[in-house]
Amino acid sequence: MLTIENLHAEIDDKGILNGIDLDVKAGEVHAIMGPNGSGKSTLSSVIAGNEDYEITQGSILFGGEDIHEMSPEERSHKGIFLSFQYPVEIPGVSVTNFIKTALNAQRKAAGEEDMPAAAMLKKIREKSSLLGIDSKFLSRSLNQGFSGGEKKRNEIFQMAMMEPKLAILDETDSGLDIDALKIVADGVNALKTPNNATIVITHYQRLLDYIIPDFVHVLYNGKIVKSGTKELAKELEAKGYDWIKKEVAG
Amino acid sequence: MEFKDKLLDTYIAFEEELGPKDSIQKLRSQALKTFENLGFPTKKLEAWKYTSLNSLLQNDYLLFPKSEKAVELNQIKHAFLYEIDTYKVVFIDGVHSPFLSDTTHDGLDVCLLSAALSKPKYKKLIDTYFGSVADTDESMTALNTTYAREGAYIYIPPSVVAEKPIEIIHLSTGDQGAVWLQPRNLIVVDTNAQVQIVERHQSLKEHPVVTNCVTEIFAHPEALVDYYKIQNDMDSASLIDNTYIAQDKNSHVSVHTFSFGGKITRNNLNFYQNGEHINSTLKGITLLQEKQHVDHYTLVHHAQPNCESHQDYKGIFSDRSVGVFNGKILVDKIAQKTNAFQQNNNIILDDKAKVNTKPQLEIFADDVRCSHGCTIGQLDQEALFYLRSRGIPKKEAKALMTYAFANNVLESVQIPTLKKKINKLIANKLGVNLGFDL
């Protein structure tokens, strides 16, 4: 589904990604771990099409198609979803109106009519109950005054509504207490099908107790320096990142 | 002949035409002298540093256009809040249109200044209010006073709540070439009375028009005045708006100014607080493109203790448009416990757009809370990426961010139909259809 080869990316002439190779197939869950500043968030931004970053080498294929030149909205229409570490506040635009706009933009891109209001409402009800979101929350301004947990839950709600092929969860666990973490993880697991894939980006192993990865990759200095199964995450939790750094240095 | 000379020379004939019934003859001749001395403001004046009227003074304007032509309702429907019932005072090229208006004397007066200026029963009222809050030393106001003869006259008696909004609409047909209009509105809201007013100036086709408008508003104790200015005129139309508001104790007055179009717009908005526990609100959204120019020049004079003022102006500037904000807050020595808040935030979308913003605080009391802040920035790229990553195209994403940016001002619009209309105007301006009402 997603094939990244020898990907180099920079921002303001500073190289952040230095040759990433990653292959994600439908039905898989990949975890990308690594110390702060290793390039985790950059990788997710680059996949989602953030124009602040320049790809200097390598390729990103999604569904066999080169997405290098595609805008963020085109990538979204193709089925890529990024759950943000720091979702942006949009005062005056309710959660409901925002998701309607997003969903209908997606349908328009696919040459479809706007979703009928009743169907939209039904879908919103269904997906919000999955994440334990009440209706009052839906009429609030997007992310404005939301707690950390509410913001992340709202990200997963948007993901549930948009039904992406590839979901990238960027530090979705940061700022969440254990109860919120469980709700978010349950939501992600419930949305999993054999046809979609998930990339979980995290600093800590904790989230991976709830969202079980098929593969774990360690990112360091803009490169994947080690890949393994969920056992690797446990090892990192126990030993920290220093041994990886040493291994790379040695 | 220079346009100024024409303005001076026309006066004698004008005075004769009005005849002895004119109740403000003295004010006029004084004002004429003031204008003769001061002339049109130039950029040499600190208050006009960023706005030049030179480009407007090249034309030979018709001062008193004759409105012969009827205007079809359908042609101008968009300028009204036609979805709801309102009182209307409508002028075509400065002349009252009875056909388009819906005035009243039933429990409140929504009618014409020309009647108030000439009928004996209004004499006392005119003597009391007319010209009493307007700045007699300001040249554009003086020019308006010299030739003031038509506009809206509104009186809300004590404890009366006007049950529907009042629209003051000035249309300019462009059938008679370049015109210079000088409407004059007088609004008196008596003790504990309430009113909502919407004011709009609109050209019906591209033609040079300058409107030099003066509005005086008197809010008596406990009065509540909610005033909206819609400035979305064509690129050939300019507006110099001079609004003066005198507030008595416990009154609340708010003015929202939506500046979305026009060639040059200058808003002189002046609040004078003459009692305690007064609340004054000044808000605006300025959304400009191409070479449009809007200058907000506000004054809030805190002359008594325990009063508040809230200013919040948002500006979004594209292309080569220019925005100016000068917000003066004057707090007299006796005006202790004043709470004055001022905010001016601007977003520049293109390199060539320009904003000049200047807070001007003169505080002589020692126990006050005054805060002010102005920002000039660009659209937040991270936020834009967030919206686009949800599949929302760039143009729509920018529009959503513009709404979010202006939301503080939009959300305090108290007339739902008007709010919808402004939302639509913004969407049109940004070239998007968001498919929902905010």
Side-chain angles (χ1 to χ4, degrees):
Chain A
M1 174 182 289
L2 179 74
T3 311
I4 296 178
E5 274 173 12
N6 190 32
L7 185 70
H8 288 66
E10 58 181 45
I11 185 165
D12 302 331
D13 295 327
K14 199 177 142 211
I16 309 282
L17 301 181
N18 302 309
I20 302 260
D21 293 293
L22 184 66
D23 190 26
V24 179
K25 293 190 173 66
E28 292 177 351
V29 177
H30 289 244
I32 296 178
M33 303 184 70
N36 289 330
S38 58
K40 302 191 298 286
S41 282
T42 299
L43 178 60
S44 59
S45 281
V46 168
I47 298 171
N50 190 334
E51 290 161 355
D52 288 348
Y53 297 93
E54 196 191 336
I55 295 177
T56 50
Q57 264 189 69
S59 64
I60 308 182
L61 302 182
F62 183 69
E65 199 176 359
D66 185 355
I67 60 170
H68 181 176
E69 296 289 336
M70 282 184 195
S71 66
E73 52 268 37
E74 284 173 298
R75 296 184 201 205
S76 168
H77 301 153
K78 298 271 175 205
I80 295 176
F81 180 89
L82 172 60
S83 165
F84 277 55
Q85 185 175 0
Y86 303 108
V88 174
E89 297 188 1
I90 314 285
V93 179
S94 69
V95 174
T96 306
N97 276 336
F98 178 70
I99 197 64
K100 271 188 207 168
T101 308
L103 225 57
N104 283 329
Q106 192 183 38
R107 292 172 70 97
K108 196 175 168 190
E112 295 168 23
E113 296 281 302
D114 279 2
M115 187 183 267
M120 182 72 81
L121 203 66
K122 186 167 171 262
K123 186 164 182 176
I124 289 173
R125 278 211 195 102
E126 195 183 299
K127 302 297 182 185
S128 57
S129 72
L130 176 73
L131 289 153
I133 290 173
D134 72 33
S135 57
K136 258 191 225 143
F137 180 87
L138 295 171
S139 58
R140 284 171 63 185
S141 284
L142 186 71
N143 291 322
Q144 199 186 22
F146 285 15
S147 69
E150 284 172 332
K151 280 185 180 168
K152 296 300 168 67
R153 206 185 290 190
N154 182 35
E155 290 293 281
I156 305 304
F157 167 65
Q158 291 176 33
M159 172 183 150
M161 290 295 294
M162 300 192 72
E163 300 174 284
K165 292 194 186 99
L166 173 68
I168 307 162
L169 312 181
D170 187 7
E171 305 273 2
T172 295
D173 51 337
S174 71
L176 294 191
D177 62 28
I178 197 73
D179 293 330
L181 188 74
K182 271 185 195 158
I183 293 169
V184 165
D186 287 348
V188 172
N189 289 329
L191 297 169
K192 214 183 135 187
T193 72
N195 301 318
N196 62 23
T198 311
I199 297 175
V200 181
I201 291 180
T202 182
H203 185 82
Y204 302 104
Q205 189 265 340
R206 181 172 85 137
L207 179 64
L208 305 180
D209 286 339
Y210 301 97
I211 302 173
I212 313 291
D214 300 300
F215 300 96
V216 174
H217 311 279
V218 181
L219 195 61
Y220 181 60
N221 280 344
K223 278 183 108 152
I224 289 176
V225 293
K226 208 171 184 68
S227 294
T229 59
K230 61 181 179 185
E231 306 310 323
L232 177 58
K234 294 237 160 64
E235 201 176 343
L236 284 168
E237 180 78 357
K239 299 207 289 201
Y241 285 108
D242 281 351
W243 64 280
I244 298 268
K245 292 181 189 172
K246 274 182 201 142
E247 231 179 70
V248 172
Chain B
M1 186 164 68
E2 289 227 359
F3 185 54
K4 184 188 167 189
D5 296 328
K6 177 174 176 173
L7 284 164
L8 297 173
D9 293 351
T10 312
Y11 183 69
I12 296 169
F14 177 76
E15 197 177 32
E16 266 171 27
E17 190 194 327
L18 289 176
K21 274 196 301 182
D22 178 30
S23 54
I24 57 162
Q25 195 277 329
K26 257 191 197 150
L27 283 178
R28 288 186 202 282
S29 53
Q30 278 164 10
L32 179 72
K33 272 185 206 130
T34 304
F35 177 70
E36 187 174 8
N37 289 336
L38 298 174
F40 286 102
T42 67
K43 288 177 97 170
K44 284 182 193 147
L45 297 171
E46 187 62 28
W48 288 83
K49 198 173 168 184
Y50 300 108
T51 299
S52 168
L53 298 179
N54 278 348
S55 67
L56 303 182
L57 301 176
Q58 309 305 322
N59 285 306
D60 182 26
Y61 296 96
L62 195 61
L63 281 176
F64 307 107
K66 287 191 181 60
S67 173
E68 303 288 349
K69 200 183 150 197
V71 173
E72 288 293 321
L73 185 61
N74 274 338
Q75 197 190 342
I76 45 112
K77 215 172 141 192
H78 67 277
F80 294 91
L81 295 176
Y82 57 84
E83 301 92 338
I84 55 170
D85 193 15
T86 58
Y87 295 116
K88 294 174 189 70
V89 200
V90 184
F91 305 92
I92 301 172
D93 296 329
V95 179
H96 174 236
S97 162
F99 173 65
L100 295 173
S101 296
D102 187 356
T103 57
T104 185
H105 290 287
D106 184 12
L108 67 165
D109 288 325
V110 179
C111 57
L112 303 176
L113 186 74
S114 55
L117 287 178
S118 58
K119 289 185 183 165
K121 68 168 179 174
Y122 293 108
K123 177 139 192 348
K124 203 178 150 213
L125 205 133
I126 291 295
D127 287 347
T128 308
Y129 296 106
F130 190 95
S132 72
V133 63
D135 182 355
T136 48
D137 295 329
E138 200 278 316
S139 65
M140 298 310 289
T141 302
L143 177 59
N144 177 286
T145 302
T146 306
Y147 288 110
R149 69 170 175 190
E150 193 55 290
Y153 164 65
I154 295 166
Y155 174 72
I156 317 289
S159 298
V160 168
V161 176
E163 80 276 21
K164 47 189 187 184
I166 299 168
E167 294 186 82
I168 305 173
I169 313 252
H170 296 274
L171 302 170
S172 172
T173 58
D175 292 345
Q176 295 165 89
V179 289
W180 184 281
L181 301 172
Q182 306 212 82
R184 178 84 175 213
N185 304 311
L186 177 61
I187 297 158
V188 180
V189 185
D190 219 323
T191 305
N192 197 34
Q194 294 183 22
V195 68
Q196 292 178 314
I197 298 171
V198 182
E199 178 193 343
R200 184 162 184 171
H201 303 266
Q202 186 65 48
S203 303
L204 301 183
K205 67 176 180 220
E206 291 271 340
H207 71 291
V209 52
V210 178
T211 304
N212 176 38
C213 184
V214 171
T215 302
E216 291 181 284
I217 302 172
F218 297 85
H220 282 265
E222 282 85 41
L224 209 148
V225 182
D226 193 15
Y227 203 104
Y228 302 92
K229 293 174 183 286
I230 315 292
Q231 302 172 342
N232 187 40
D233 215 337
M234 294 179 180
D235 285 340
S236 53
S238 293
L239 173 66
I240 300 151
D241 184 78
N242 310 277
T243 298
Y244 298 92
I245 298 158
Q247 283 188 258
D248 282 338
K249 65 172 181 165
N250 299 317
S251 64
H252 285 234
V253 177
S254 88
V255 175
H256 285 71
T257 306
F258 298 99
S259 311
F260 300 155
K263 184 179 179 185
I264 294 174
T265 305
R266 163 79 174 212
N267 288 299
N268 295 314
L269 181 54
N270 306 278
F271 278 75
Y272 303 93
Q273 297 185 334
N274 303 320
E276 292 197 43
H277 305 289
I278 286 168
N279 196 315
S280 308
T281 300
L282 304 77
K283 291 189 175 191
I285 298 175
T286 307
L287 178 57
L288 300 186
Q289 291 157 334
E290 292 167 24
K291 287 168 79 178
Q292 294 164 343
H293 179 116
V294 171
D295 182 343
H296 292 291
Y297 199 88
T298 70
L299 164 71
V300 180
H301 187 167
H302 289 272
Q304 293 291 326
N306 299 308
C307 293
E308 291 181 26
S309 66
H310 302 270
Q311 294 190 59
D312 192 353
Y313 281 83
K314 309 288 187 204
I316 302 109
F317 303 90
S318 309
D319 305 324
R320 306 170 74 94
S321 61
V322 177
V324 184
F325 177 81
N326 188 103
K328 183 168 169 180
I329 298 173
L330 179 58
V331 183
D332 285 354
K333 202 170 177 190
I334 64 157
Q336 300 292 2
K337 306 277 180 200
T338 289
N339 188 0
F341 168 86
Q342 184 187 88
Q343 189 77 32
N344 174 232
N345 308 107
N346 301 288
I347 289 180
I348 289 191
L349 296 173
D350 291 294
D351 290 348
K352 294 206 166 117
K354 240 199 284 190
V355 172
N356 294 293
T357 174
K358 184 174 150 201
Q360 204 182 334
L361 275 62
E362 293 177 19
I363 301 167
F364 298 97
D366 50 18
D367 184 14
V368 299
R369 273 176 56 196
C370 288
S371 66
H372 67 92
C374 33
T375 60
I376 301 174
Q378 291 168 330
L379 278 185
D380 177 356
Q381 291 303 309
E382 182 67 19
L384 197 58
F385 173 54
Y386 180 71
L387 297 177
R388 295 176 71 192
S389 80
R390 296 298 178 261
I392 299 170
K394 196 171 181 179
K395 202 158 109 181
E396 277 77 9
K398 279 185 169 178
L400 269 181
M401 288 178 64
T402 304
Y403 275 107
F405 174 70
N407 183 57
N408 272 352
V409 176
L410 271 177
E411 70 178 6
S412 57
V413 174
Q414 301 295 325
I415 306 170
T417 313
L418 179 63
K419 196 177 189 170
K420 253 188 203 173
K421 199 179 181 75
I422 291 164
N423 273 325
K424 263 197 198 123
L425 287 178
I426 295 177
N428 282 345
K429 201 88 191 165
L430 298 169
V432 298
N433 178 8
L434 294 172
F436 61 85
D437 293 320
L438 288 141

